[in-house]
Structure formats: structure tokens, C-alpha cells
């Protein structure tokens, strides 16, 4: 299984970015996928999840600003990030697990991407 993120970058506060995560060797349609992030000196935290039937969850800090989605035909996970704030800065990771339902903790995920950096100033 390989997860490859893209779409990170540097933006000003209030701007937008769209992250993508291309999965290979993994069937995204029937599985849970998620986005996590980690700021320097902080623990990795969950940002958003999407399960096998398309139900989504969001961290309180991003609810209403971020939107997670999944294109099963392309086996790709996305996250649209709007109204970005400096506190959204960090390395963003795509994660996937072998089960259909999502967990909130990082150790519940079997596969991880290499991360894509998001910097908001």
C-alpha cells in the first residue's frame, strides 16, 4: 500500500489549499481514510475522517472550514481547506486503515503517507 500526498504549500491567513492523497494497492471505497496533522513540538492530531459509507468527522478546530472527500473511482482522498489560520500550520498526513469504520487515534491506522507541509502566515 502506498499513499502519496500533494497540494501543500505556503499561503496567507484566510487563503485556501486543497490536499490530495493518491492510494495504490488499497481500495479506498470500502475503507476508512483520514487526515492528520502535526505541528513542530506537538503530537499528531486528527483533522478529519471519512468512512466506508461517506460519513465524515472533523476536529472542532477545523469544523466548518475544512471538507474531506473521497473519489473512489480515482482511489484518491481530498481535503479542501478554507479560511486557513496560522494555527493550521503543520505537516499533513494521509492515513488509511483496513476496516470500514474510522478511529480517532493515530495508532488505529495501518498505512501512512509521507506528509505534505502546510504553512499559513
Amino acid at each position: 500500500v502506498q499513499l502519496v500526498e500533494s497540494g501543500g504549500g505556503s499561503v496567507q491567513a484566510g487563503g485556501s489549499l486543497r490536499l490530495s492523497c493518491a492510494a495504490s494497492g488499497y481500495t479506498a471505497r470500502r475503507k476508512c481514510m483520514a487526515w492528520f496533522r502535526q505541528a513542530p513540538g506537538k503530537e499528531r492530531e486528527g483533522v478529519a475522517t471519512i468512512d466506508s459509507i461517506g460519513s465524515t468527522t472533523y476536529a472542532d478546530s477545523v469544523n466548518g472550514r475544512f471538507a474531506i472527500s473521497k473519489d473512489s473511482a480515482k482511489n484518491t482522498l481530498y481535503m479542501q481547506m478554507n479560511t486557513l489560520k496560522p494555527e493550521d500550520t503543520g505537516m499533513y498526513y494521509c492515513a488509511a486503515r483496513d476496516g470500514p469504520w474510522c478511529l480517532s487515534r493515530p495508532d488505529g491506522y495501518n498505512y501512512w503517507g509521507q506528509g505534505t507541509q502546510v504553512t499559513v502566515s
Side-chain angles (χ1 to χ4, degrees):
V1 175
Q2 188 174 22
L3 304 176
V4 180
E5 302 101 330
S6 61
S10 297
V11 296
Q12 293 188 336
S16 298
L17 285 173
R18 188 191 194 205
L19 305 184
S20 299
C21 171
S24 58
Y26 179 83
T27 304
R29 184 174 67 250
R30 302 188 182 94
K31 306 289 178 60
C32 164
M33 298 188 75
W35 288 100
F36 287 78
R37 68 185 180 188
Q38 189 166 18
K42 295 188 177 181
E43 292 186 353
R44 191 167 298 190
E45 63 173 354
V47 178
T49 67
I50 183 165
D51 67 20
S52 60
I53 60 172
S55 297
T56 59
T57 67
Y58 296 94
D60 289 344
S61 59
V62 307
N63 198 19
R65 299 187 297 121
F66 290 12
I68 189 171
S69 61
K70 186 167 56 175
D71 185 332
S72 297
K74 296 182 178 179
N75 231 24
T76 300
L77 179 72
Y78 301 99
M79 187 159 70
Q80 179 66 40
M81 306 188 297
N82 298 326
T83 319
L84 283 160
K85 303 177 180 180
E87 51 264 43
D88 294 318
T89 294
M91 186 70 76
Y92 282 69
Y93 297 92
C94 171
R97 61 188 308 269
D98 286 329
W101 314 121
C102 293
L103 299 175
S104 59
R105 62 185 191 276
D107 63 2
Y109 290 78
N110 307 95
Y111 312 106
W112 291 86
Q114 82 290 347
T116 185
Q117 178 68 36
V118 172
T119 303
V120 186
S121 59

